[in-house]
Amino acid sequence: MHRLALWPVALAVALLPVGAVAQGAVADPALRAKADALVAILDGRGAYDAYFAASFREKVPKAQFSAIVEQLKATLGVPQKIESLTATSAWSADLVVGYARGTASVRLVIDPAAPHAATGLLITGTGARDDTLAKVEAEFRALPGASGFGLYALGAGNPAPILEYRADVAAPLGSAFKLWVLAELARQVAAGERHWEDVVKVGAPSLPSGVLQTWPAGSPVTVQTLATMMISISDNTATDTLLTTLGRAKVDAMAEAAGGNVPVMTTREMFVLKGDPALTKAWAAGSVDERRALLVDNAVKVATAKLDPTVFAGKPVAIDSIEWFASPSAMAGLLDRLRGTDVTTRAVMAVNAGVDPAIAKRFGYVGFKGGGEPGVLTLNYLLQAKDGRWYAATGNWHRTDDGVNEVRFAGLMGRALALLAAR
């Protein structure tokens, strides 16, 4: 996750990538010993410097790790034991860590060389014991700030609510607005106006998340590549390139049809607007037409501005005005629209499942797009059960006074999905 951009919310906490999975692997005894020692580390009692390799500590400072550990304990209680270990290689495993009030799914990688320091750790999800949808709703209601949630059955008509909380209230989406762009691309492909293999040049770089901002200017890519990077790793430069290629007016029309706000900013425009107090004030006070005019009048400034990666400084910035907005029920309708698109669109959405793999495996299909910035978090899932039934799950949490607890929120959504899979 990138805290200085519209980072993709894919897993609860990505502390360090852990690599590929080898089927039928057998854990080395050192891996099992390291897994057992993880309980004390997650309780804040273990020796952080001795447990983790220098390569890990450089990327995840102790203060950052301790904050995540405390978030987990606040949600689940005290860690108690390793409930299961499934080796993915001799030196890596998927773990289920038992806590007083639930479990955490963890991927662990250690150095094959003694003393076998941990080089990778990935917290992929959390779950509560004896869980119910009523408990999930109660915890949504207890979140500080504002939140909303919707779980829907999808069929021939409109999405049918299974559980809703403030589902008709529009909320900031962060990068989840990119589903509007994907839906418009899918519409143009279906209409024969565009083809997945069409080649375009990469446009002006935005801030990360993503990688295209580092590519040579004007690099040729297909629109399918742009869409895949936009959804799977929330690449902001890919998003802006695709949005301008499709046409702002057409993306606006799709956003309005999907219950969203207009005009739809590019991510680069958003960063410039939030970094300029005068533009921030003008945007907040402007009507739709005035905001469109503001973007046109400042097009040169947007195109030439040197973007400031510290624009957020870890704090919410104008999330009640310079954002993309839609309600949970509107997002469910958008997910239902995407369900009816072609196989390529659904495949793009499925590259990053955005949930604990153990939960994802309980469905036949999981399409995902999340988003956020400091103070904003939203997760959106299109799901097909193994019996063929389709569902949408969408949730949001935002607060103007502080950041949001990513682990807590991802855990709530993961629990909702696990309960849905059990229906």
Side-chain angles (χ1 to χ4, degrees):
M1 299 179 184
H2 198 302
R3 295 307 301 267
L4 302 180
L6 306 175
W7 34 262
V9 182
L11 298 169
V13 182
L15 295 179
L16 204 63
V18 297
V21 173
Q23 300 298 322
V26 177
D28 186 272
L31 177 61
R32 293 187 177 274
K34 205 71 176 180
D36 288 337
L38 181 62
V39 175
I41 294 292
L42 293 175
D43 194 24
R45 296 181 285 106
Y48 171 85
D49 290 342
Y51 189 88
F52 291 106
S55 60
F56 183 94
R57 300 196 308 270
E58 289 172 1
K59 296 183 178 180
V60 186
K62 185 177 181 179
Q64 178 185 349
F65 182 82
S66 296
I68 293 169
V69 164
E70 289 306 311
Q71 288 177 3
L72 285 169
K73 291 174 69 175
T75 302
L76 301 173
V78 176
Q80 298 176 330
K81 65 179 180 179
I82 302 299
E83 295 191 355
S84 69
L85 183 153
T86 303
T88 54
S89 76
W91 312 105
S92 62
D94 287 339
L95 313 175
V96 174
V97 182
Y99 282 73
R101 297 192 298 272
T103 60
S105 299
V106 179
R107 293 180 181 178
L108 174 67
V109 179
I110 68 171
D111 188 341
H116 308 295
T119 58
L121 188 69
L122 186 74
I123 301 169
T124 60
T126 61
R129 301 191 190 281
D130 302 319
D131 210 5
T132 66
L133 286 177
K135 290 181 179 180
V136 171
E137 180 182 359
E139 292 195 33
F140 259 95
R141 291 177 177 272
L143 292 173
S147 62
F149 173 82
L151 189 64
Y152 303 85
L154 305 181
N158 294 328
I162 297 171
L163 179 67
E164 292 184 310
Y165 168 60
R166 287 169 49 90
D168 60 344
V169 179
L173 299 176
S175 283
F177 89 92
K178 296 169 186 179
L179 289 174
W180 298 336
V181 182
L182 180 65
E184 175 54 23
L185 173 58
R187 187 202 66 77
Q188 292 189 20
V189 169
E193 300 170 17
R194 206 165 296 279
H195 304 87
W196 288 111
E197 61 270 24
D198 288 350
V199 174
V200 299
K201 293 182 178 180
V202 174
S206 184
L207 291 175
S209 54
V211 297
L212 277 188
Q213 72 278 359
T214 66
W215 285 24
S219 293
V221 292
T222 66
V223 294
Q224 183 171 339
T225 297
L226 292 173
T228 303
M229 298 179 81
M230 173 179 72
I231 299 299
S232 66
I233 62 171
S234 209
D235 192 300
N236 289 333
T237 301
T239 302
D240 293 357
T241 301
L242 193 53
L243 193 158
T244 54
T245 297
L246 299 175
R248 189 194 298 274
K250 292 183 177 181
V251 174
D252 277 6
M254 177 59 68
E256 281 194 295
N261 65 310
V262 294
V264 180
M265 300 173 291
T266 65
T267 68
R268 186 177 180 87
E269 287 169 339
M270 185 278 295
F271 288 122
V272 172
L273 289 172
K274 291 205 177 195
D276 186 314
L279 291 179
T280 298
K281 182 177 181 180
W283 182 270
S287 64
V288 170
D289 288 341
E290 288 169 339
R291 289 179 174 182
R292 287 194 170 113
L294 186 70
L295 294 178
V296 171
D297 293 343
N298 289 276
V300 174
K301 179 175 183 176
V302 168
T304 59
K306 183 177 180 180
L307 300 182
D308 180 8
T310 66
V311 63
F312 296 116
K315 299 179 180 179
V317 177
I319 65 170
D320 54 351
S321 57
I322 304 178
E323 254 288 352
W324 304 269
F325 296 88
S327 67
S329 61
M331 293 304 292
L334 176 61
L335 291 167
D336 196 23
R337 178 192 294 266
L338 289 163
R339 175 176 70 103
T341 57
D342 65 355
V343 64
T344 301
T345 304
R346 293 194 300 274
V348 165
M349 292 182 64
V351 172
N352 175 2
V355 71
D356 182 349
I359 296 176
K361 289 177 181 177
R362 299 172 67 181
F363 291 94
Y365 170 88
V366 180
F368 166 77
K369 185 72 192 83
E373 61 180 85
V376 174
L377 190 54
T378 178
L379 303 176
N380 306 274
Y381 299 90
L382 175 63
L383 308 144
Q384 186 177 33
K386 291 190 174 180
D387 65 4
R389 289 180 293 175
W390 285 90
Y391 300 95
T394 177
N396 65 75
W397 181 18
H398 60 282
R399 51 190 304 182
T400 59
D401 61 330
D402 201 355
V404 293
N405 184 326
E406 298 149 20
V407 175
R408 181 178 181 181
F409 189 76
L412 277 176
M413 292 299 295
R415 287 165 55 192
L417 267 57
L419 290 166
L420 183 60
R423 284 171 63 90

